[in-house]
């Protein structure tokens, strides 16, 4: 099993819809989880941290499911500007930081 | 704060040439990283450093070298450039107490 796995997509979603994607991780001892956003030909930027209790930031909600070892990202009322690649990041063994390969999201007008 | 800065933004190298990619951060972060990202692919860790004077190999270190003489700077050296090193290179940094990384804008390198 890979350390961090994401569905590469692309997810093609009409504007205004709700979209969600998951990221699974293999190290049950992982404690830190993040979602990063990467626009085409740009650097990754932190979107939000994922806390045990879940967290919400405007239209974005991130959740952690420790039992099944995955994190999720939900985007409500999607905008054209949400089109990007979303990277899942988890701390792995030996304190390493593991990036998923990303999920591509296209919001359609 | 300027954050993490990288130079140059773009570079074309001929096979066999060498160059240094510069990375500087002004956030006093101890941890610094070099990644490469090939088109449509994820980030691959080349080298990282946990503090001045300390460097360690990542997933794909072959063909690269690094040094960390100061907290601020973490240059990446390519010796004998090869077409397989055509990629976008990102430098990142973080504090010792968080896993959140801050990325530079990247250097787009083409080797022909």
């Amino acid at each position: 099993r890979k350390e961090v796995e994401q569905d590469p997509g692309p997810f093609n979603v009409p504007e205004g819809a709700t979209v969600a994607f998951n990221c699974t991780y293999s190290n049950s001892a992982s404690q830190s989880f993040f979602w990063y956003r990467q626009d085409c030909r740009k650097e990754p930027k932190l979107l939000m941290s994922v806390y045990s209790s879940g967290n919400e930031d405007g239209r974005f909600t991130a959740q952690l499911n420790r039992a099944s070892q995955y994190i999720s990202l939900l985007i409500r009322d999607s905008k054209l500007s949400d089109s990007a690649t979303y990277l899942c990041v988890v701390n792995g063994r030996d304190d390493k930081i593991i990036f998923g390969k990303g999920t591509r999201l296209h919001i359609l007008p | 704060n300027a954050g993490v800065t990288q130079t140059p933004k773009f570079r074309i190298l001929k096979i066999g040439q060498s160059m240094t990619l510069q990375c500087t951060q002004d956030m006093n972060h101890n941890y610094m990283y070099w990644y490469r990202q090939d088109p449509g692919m994820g980030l691959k860790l080349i080298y990282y450093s946990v503090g001045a004077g300390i460097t360690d190999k990542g997933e794909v270190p072959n063909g690269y070298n690094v040094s960390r003489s100061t907290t601020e700077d973490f240059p990446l050296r390519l010796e004998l450039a090869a077409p397989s090193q055509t990629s976008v290179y990102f430098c990142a940094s973080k504090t010792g107490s968080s896993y959140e990384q801050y990325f530079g804008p990247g250097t787009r390198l083409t080797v022909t």
Side-chain angles (χ1 to χ4, degrees), chain A residues 10-47:
Chain A
F11 284 58
N12 297 310
V13 174
E15 193 175 8
T18 295
V19 61
F21 27 83
N22 293 339
C23 164
T24 58
Y25 61 94
S26 62
N27 182 7
S28 59
S30 294
Q31 294 292 330
S32 295
F33 309 89
F34 303 92
W35 284 104
Y36 278 68
R37 172 194 169 123
Q38 185 174 24
D39 293 305
C40 188
R41 300 174 70 79
K42 297 284 190 183
E43 72 273 23
K45 291 185 179 177
L46 181 68
L47 177 67

